Amino acid sequence: MTRIALVLGGGVSLGSYIGGAVTEILTALSRSDAREPVRLHVITGGSAGALNAGLAARALAVNPNVVPWIEKAWVDAADAQYLLNPGRKNRVGALDAGVLEDLSSALISADPASDDGPSSALGTPLRVGITLSSLHGIRYDYRYGFLNVPDRAFGTRTYSDWIDFELPAGAGAADDVWEKIRDAVVASAAFPFAFPPRRLTRQRSEYPGARLPGGADDPLDMWYVDGGLFDAAPLGLAKDLVEREPGYRDQDWRYIVVEPSLRSTGTESGLATNDPDSVGALAENLARAVLGQGAAQDWIRANRVNARLEILGALLERLPEMDDRITDPEEVVLGRYIGELAERVAEMKVAADPTGRSALGPDPAVDYLDRNMERIESDSRYTGVFASADTRAGRSRLAKLIFVLEASSGLRDKDIMRLYLVAPESDRELAGDYLGGFGGFLHRDWRAHDFRAGRRDARRMLETGLSDVLSYRPDDDAAYEVGQVEPSWNQVPPETRRRVAQAVGAEADRWIGEFQPGAVASAFGWAWKPVVRRWITNRSIRAISEAR
């Protein structure tokens, strides 16, 4: 059986592209007539990808009829007509969080329906991971590592966070887990200044080794914003969830990353083509920089790890041939040297990782080394290496050398990942790139265009990358037709432009209402307030219209 880990990136209104790709992948997995089953076992997402992850999980575990609603949610509902609500009371963000609340309630945590039933593509258990950005930060103590003060520690805060869920067989619509997933999805989609932060209750056991306030049994109420700020395409989180599966090394795992930011720049230099010569252009470039950095980091890291693993594998295959004294039990001095080296590495690894220290015994370094020795000697990847050792002492030395090499290269317990990308080939293909990822909300046709592009690129990946395990023949080629779109402010429907102006005016009224002028200025507020409101509104609309 082939097992799929689906990694969904972010991108604000580019969620329509990701939704199209998810729709195509779920459809293909459920319709495939492959001889061997292909199941989706892991889904991770951040920002807009988190919302798509929640929708995908619901369609898999509860009701495949949710799949067509992914398109309705992104193309029809995610519109400025609804997101820009100048009359709402909550003005923490520029957009109306009520739309997210309604969509997530209707599609992720809705009451059971008469046609409920799992998809044929459901992997059991299904693990769902959602990235978050904490506004509090989690405090950890690390050792400095200075030679003259080796025991001195410093405290640092980690703001990149996540939450994960495991759905066992039979996790129906009435299960409490869906409301928790919905809360996490809305928190991860809370793009700063667009949507208000979201509060989640976490357990202390989720943060081993952290310094946390309050009592040992007290829950933690923490505020979160967009999970894509630090980890927009959580490939590393997906790998962690895969490794929870017993025997995962001997299973056929495929990682599909849907990330519209991972594509060709379309320019020879690879530099951004928009100069930050206006407020709108600066906001667009800044949003692209933040989201692009969060999207690329795991992908780059995974490719580097894959390359280093290939080098490590080639080295280990020849390790016994390079010096036959390694496995010779008579070489006592060499054995002692290898053992001391492994012990020193174990001490350094334990000192550098306060999060894992609480799970070790009274002598953490010895316990850490013993656990890794047991893991390495039972790892099927190293069977060929140990075949050359016919004594216990020889096997122990080889295991310790492998441990040192893994630690020095950062490859402990790592294996090569089979990676597949769903992304546009050009940086000018998606309409949702307009206005730093927010432009897609301004026009239904733009979102429909990006949704079809997501389906097209997912189909291309399925047909070329997974043809060895999937047999998928789509029916309607029209669903994949993608034309040329050049978004601009002039193309935005008049009613939407009016709604934007109303929302900007409401923000100006809020700012003016909170301003505390002197007594004289207050007395003449009837004169200066309309002028200031008009100036703020006009400048804001001009900045939006000048963005590219």
Side-chain angles (χ1 to χ4, degrees):
M1 176 170 54
T2 297
R3 301 166 187 260
I4 302 295
L6 183 59
V7 181
L8 305 177
V12 200
S13 69
L14 287 173
S16 58
Y17 174 91
I18 302 161
V22 168
T23 296
E24 190 68 12
I25 291 168
L26 294 180
T27 302
L29 293 180
S30 63
R31 291 183 182 176
S32 174
D33 56 358
R35 289 187 297 272
E36 295 293 329
V38 181
R39 300 287 184 265
L40 209 167
H41 281 261
V42 169
I43 308 174
T44 62
S47 189
L51 180 54
N52 279 303
L55 296 174
R58 183 76 174 195
L60 280 168
V62 174
N63 194 334
N65 290 326
V66 171
V67 172
W69 285 91
I70 297 177
E71 180 176 10
K72 296 180 184 298
W74 283 107
V75 176
D76 295 327
D79 192 274
Q81 294 282 351
Y82 312 114
L83 291 169
L84 293 172
N85 178 9
R88 75 187 192 280
K89 296 180 180 180
N90 184 350
R91 305 217 62 86
V92 178
L95 303 181
D96 188 356
V99 175
L100 278 180
E101 296 286 349
D102 293 343
L103 279 175
S104 58
S105 295
L107 298 178
I108 297 177
S109 58
D111 293 333
S114 59
D115 57 349
D116 278 353
S119 167
S120 60
L122 173 65
T124 304
L126 175 66
R127 297 184 174 93
V128 181
I130 304 297
T131 61
L132 302 163
S133 297
S134 171
L135 294 180
H136 296 274
I138 303 300
R139 172 76 177 264
Y140 292 96
D141 288 338
Y142 294 87
R143 293 187 183 182
Y144 275 105
F146 292 122
L147 296 179
N148 61 320
V149 283
D151 294 327
R152 180 171 294 179
F154 74 100
T156 186
R157 290 185 180 275
T158 300
Y159 294 88
S160 179
D161 203 351
W162 74 91
I163 187 169
D164 60 82
F165 308 91
E166 182 170 312
L167 281 68
D175 198 297
D176 292 341
V177 71
W178 293 111
E179 188 62 31
K180 296 176 182 178
I181 290 177
R182 188 189 78 84
D183 286 339
V185 162
V186 174
S188 184
F191 196 92
F193 307 111
F195 295 109
R198 182 95 173 176
R199 184 171 61 187
L200 298 179
T201 299
R202 308 297 299 274
Q203 302 301 318
R204 294 170 182 273
S205 58
E206 298 177 79
Y207 303 98
R211 290 181 58 186
L212 301 169
D217 299 326
D218 295 339
L220 301 169
D221 286 336
M222 294 191 289
W223 290 92
Y224 294 98
V225 293
D226 194 307
L229 295 181
F230 301 114
D231 197 357
L235 182 59
L237 176 57
K239 185 66 166 61
D240 291 341
L241 298 182
V242 166
E243 292 179 359
R244 295 183 186 178
E245 186 71 16
Y248 74 92
R249 291 193 188 280
D250 299 322
Q251 298 164 351
D252 180 16
W253 280 96
R254 313 288 181 99
Y255 296 81
I256 300 175
V257 179
V258 182
E259 178 46 71
S261 298
L262 295 178
R263 47 195 143 118
S264 169
T265 62
T267 59
E268 183 178 352
S269 66
L271 298 177
T273 57
N274 294 347
D275 295 329
D277 52 6
S278 68
V279 175
L282 175 61
E284 180 181 4
N285 284 334
L286 182 59
R288 183 181 295 112
V290 173
L291 295 175
Q293 184 66 31
Q297 59 184 0
D298 271 4
W299 183 262
I300 294 172
R301 187 181 302 118
N303 278 279
R304 288 174 177 170
V305 168
N306 279 355
R308 295 204 306 267
L309 280 168
E310 292 181 1
I311 296 172
L312 177 63
L315 173 63
L316 291 177
E317 286 180 3
R318 292 164 177 77
L319 191 61
E321 303 173 8
M322 296 169 65
D323 193 341
D324 56 8
R325 295 184 304 159
I326 294 175
T327 58
D328 187 350
E330 301 297 327
E331 294 289 342
V332 178
V333 175
L334 178 61
R336 184 183 303 119
Y337 175 76
I338 293 174
E340 291 173 352
L341 179 62
E343 291 170 4
R344 176 58 179 155
V345 170
E347 292 173 357
M348 295 171 64
K349 295 293 288 185
V350 170
D353 183 17
T355 62
R357 203 176 303 152
S358 59
L360 300 172
D363 194 338
V366 172
D367 192 15
Y368 182 79
L369 179 58
D370 289 343
R371 293 187 184 189
N372 277 277
M373 291 283 287
E374 182 180 351
R375 171 186 61 81
I376 290 170
E377 291 192 43
S378 62
D379 194 326
S380 59
R381 295 176 302 169
Y382 303 134
T383 301
V385 180
F386 290 121
S388 61
D390 53 7
T391 66
R392 176 59 196 162
R395 291 179 60 84
S396 177
R397 290 177 192 174
L398 284 173
K400 289 176 180 176
L401 274 177
I402 292 173
F403 168 72
V404 172
L405 289 171
E406 282 185 343
S408 61
S409 59
L411 299 177
R412 185 190 72 82
D413 208 23
K414 296 290 190 296
D415 57 344
I416 291 179
M417 302 170 66
R418 305 181 71 174
L419 303 170
Y420 302 85
L421 175 64
V422 177
E425 293 184 342
S426 167
D427 66 345
R428 292 298 179 187
E429 284 194 279
L430 300 185
D433 278 330
Y434 179 53
L435 285 177
F438 286 90
F441 295 136
L442 299 177
H443 206 307
R444 184 189 185 281
D445 290 348
W446 296 348
R447 298 190 300 277
H449 168 277
D450 290 352
F451 188 90
R452 289 193 300 271
R455 292 199 64 177
R456 175 203 63 189
D457 295 337
R459 175 183 178 180
R460 181 169 54 206
M461 181 278 300
L462 292 165
E463 292 178 338
T464 61
L466 294 180
S467 58
D468 61 321
V469 295
L470 278 179
S471 178
Y472 174 55
R473 298 175 181 83
D475 303 323
D476 183 13
D477 288 337
Y480 308 95
E481 293 179 358
V482 180
Q484 296 294 322
V485 176
E486 293 291 338
S488 69
W489 179 247
N490 292 332
Q491 298 177 25
V492 177
E495 178 60 27
T496 300
R497 278 187 277 176
R498 186 183 67 82
R499 182 60 65 94
V500 171
Q502 286 180 334
V504 172
E507 291 295 327
D509 289 339
R510 179 188 62 81
W511 182 84
I512 293 172
E514 294 177 353
F515 180 63
Q516 300 294 329
V520 175
S522 296
F524 289 93
W526 58 270
W528 63 265
K529 285 184 178 182
V531 175
V532 172
R533 183 186 191 278
R534 186 164 54 252
W535 183 85
I536 294 174
T537 303
N538 291 339
R539 290 286 297 179
S540 299
I541 296 299
R542 187 181 308 158
I544 294 173
S545 64
E546 291 174 353
R548 293 161 292 206

